Every structure is written in C-alpha cells, then in structure tokens.
Amino acid sequence: MPTLEIRDLHVSVETKEGPKPILRGVDLTIASGETHAIMGPNGSGKSTLASALAGHPKYTVTSGTATLDGEDLLAMKVDERARAGLFLAMQYPVEVAGVSVANFLRTAKTAISGEAPKLRTWGKEVKDAMENLRMDPAFAERSVNEGFSGGEKKRHEILQMELFKPRFAILDETDSGLDVDALRIVSEGVNRAKETSDIGILLITHYTRILRYIKPDFVHVFVDGRIAEEGGSELADRLEEEGYDRYLTANKPVSA
C-alpha cells in the first residue's frame, strides 16, 4: 500500500536573525486512501510541514526523514516530488502572468506523466472537471490566477489535483477565504478525487467547517512544531467546542 511516512522531522526557516527552528520532531504516516487533518493555532508549524515536504527552498530539514513508498522524498528535487506523486494545493496560490490556464495544465500534466495527454480526451477531461467545480470555461484562456478571486484560485488548485491524479495531496488551508458555496464546491472536488482513486489526503486547516464536508480518518493537533494530540474525527468536534487554549497553556514555560 502506498505510504507517505514522516519520522522525527525537524525543520528550520531562514530569517533575518538566522535559522529559526519550526518543526521539532514530527512523526506522521499517511496510507493510501486515508484523510488526515492537521489542526492547530497560528504559528504552530502546519504550513511549514507542507512547504518542507514540497521542497520549498526557504525551509531546511535539519534532521529526520520523509519517504514516499520507501523512496527518500527529501533527496528529490521539487519536480521529482511531483512526478513521484506528491501534490501541494498552496495556501496562497501565485499568479503566473502570460501563461494560460489551459497551457499550464497540459504542460504540467505532460511533465508529471512523462508524455503529453491525448488532445481528444484531455479537452473533455478538463471541460468536465471545470464544470464540476462551477468554473467558467473562459478561465482556461486566462493567465494562471491573474485577477482570480480567492475562491477561484482555490478551485483552480483542486482542478489541478483532479486532473493530475497524485498519489498524495497536501491541501494547505484550502478553506481559507472561501464563502459557504465555494467551500462546498471545493470539498466536493476533494471527495470526488477520493471516490475515484486511492489518493491520500493531508488536510491542513484552522477550523472545523471544512471537516463537515471532508470527513477525516485521523486528526492531529499541532502545537509548537510538534503533534500534541491525535485522534479521530471526534477530536475535531472537541476542538470546535474548546479551542486550543489547553494545549497552549500546557506548552507555556514555567516561570522561575
């Protein structure tokens, strides 16, 4: 069974003052077909984990391992991680002026698969996926994310996920900035991907509202760069009621 396995991962980020440790020993295993939700307060390391796994150069892995099906993920270049089956839906999708959505999707699909998709079937696949996400077909001719609303950018991320068919997808605060309708549509896209494949999902979020649509198998609470607690979907319900105060209190240094 395909597995994304993270062991004792420590990651630092470059700042003006020098390297700053963010992740302080993360252990996490995601098997094919599973949905894992990572929740936690701001600054707890959730997005750092996503960026480090995707290969962002700003983040340095100081120790620990991350493997995808036994292969060393951290030794791979960014494009190699994508070809190995890892996908990241970014918290803040970037604009790419002058590159149309249609050209971007086909070029990326070709790079990931190693061969260009057949035009006859690819066109229909893109059209159907856009319709499912309530995206205007005219978006295909617009520059990537240029002038897109927050909801349109997030739908475009899920469109990529549905078309590229990764083995594991990291969704970094995909619910951020979405209204109720957009949240439901984006969630439906994630659920469609799960229904039609064995994709493993790592869903990073602050809030439980997206978990009403995407049901997690496991919930992990991040605090101060570590997993403070793990459980099933009932843990998310408890966080909705109690918040993160008890974790933050437990991690406060004791005064002399």
Side-chain angles (χ1 to χ4, degrees):
M1 178 182 293
T3 303
L4 176 61
E5 190 169 11
I6 302 159
R7 287 288 172 264
D8 195 26
L9 191 66
H10 292 249
V11 174
S12 64
V13 62
E14 289 299 324
T15 69
K16 293 179 180 179
E17 292 74 31
K20 177 183 177 182
I22 303 294
L23 298 186
R24 305 167 187 273
V26 174
D27 291 293
L28 184 63
T29 300
I30 305 169
S32 176
E34 293 179 348
T35 297
H36 291 244
I38 289 183
M39 305 184 70
N42 285 326
S44 58
K46 303 184 302 298
S47 292
T48 294
L49 175 63
S51 297
L53 292 176
H56 195 297
K58 182 180 176 182
Y59 298 89
T60 301
V61 175
T62 54
S63 65
T65 62
T67 59
L68 200 163
D69 249 10
E71 297 294 323
D72 186 355
L73 189 69
L74 303 179
M76 300 178 190
K77 297 178 181 177
V78 174
D79 60 310
E80 292 172 336
R81 299 182 196 203
R83 284 197 292 271
L86 188 70
F87 174 82
L88 171 65
M90 293 182 285
Q91 183 177 357
Y92 303 109
V94 297
E95 297 182 4
V96 186
V99 178
S100 72
V101 168
N103 285 338
F104 168 77
L105 292 173
R106 191 162 191 269
T107 300
K109 180 68 172 180
T110 301
I112 292 168
S113 302
E115 60 180 2
K118 294 181 174 59
L119 284 174
R120 187 186 309 170
T121 55
W122 177 247
K124 183 178 186 307
E125 194 174 347
V126 172
K127 180 182 177 182
D128 289 347
M130 291 184 74
E131 285 180 357
N132 286 334
L133 288 164
R134 319 292 199 275
M135 295 180 71
D136 187 330
F139 273 84
E141 303 309 316
R142 293 175 60 179
S143 292
V144 173
N145 291 325
E146 192 171 41
F148 286 22
S149 69
E152 289 164 348
K153 289 179 179 179
K154 296 303 176 73
R155 293 187 204 197
H156 182 221
E157 295 283 289
I158 302 306
L159 175 67
Q160 295 170 48
M161 186 187 75
E162 289 200 66
L163 292 172
F164 299 163
K165 297 177 172 52
R167 297 159 73 189
F168 292 93
I170 304 171
L171 309 182
D172 188 8
E173 298 196 28
T174 299
D175 53 340
S176 176
L178 297 184
D179 61 27
V180 174
D181 291 332
L183 178 64
R184 177 178 51 80
I185 291 167
V186 163
S187 298
E188 287 173 352
V190 176
N191 289 331
R192 268 194 309 275
K194 285 205 66 182
E195 290 166 2
T196 57
S197 72
D198 289 328
I199 187 172
I201 301 285
L202 180 60
L203 176 63
I204 297 171
T205 183
H206 283 295
Y207 309 107
T208 59
R209 63 177 191 153
I210 194 171
L211 304 183
R212 298 168 191 163
Y213 300 97
I214 303 172
K215 299 299 182 182
D217 300 298
F218 304 94
V219 174
H220 312 270
V221 182
F222 255 48
V223 178
D224 195 28
R226 299 182 180 90
I227 295 177
E229 188 173 2
E230 298 176 303
S233 58
E234 72 284 348
L235 179 53
D237 296 333
R238 200 170 84 200
L239 291 171
E240 176 78 3
E241 296 177 2
E242 302 176 1
Y244 300 110
D245 281 351
R246 64 192 180 93
Y247 300 105
L248 298 175
T249 302
N251 279 269
K252 282 183 180 178
V254 178
S255 299

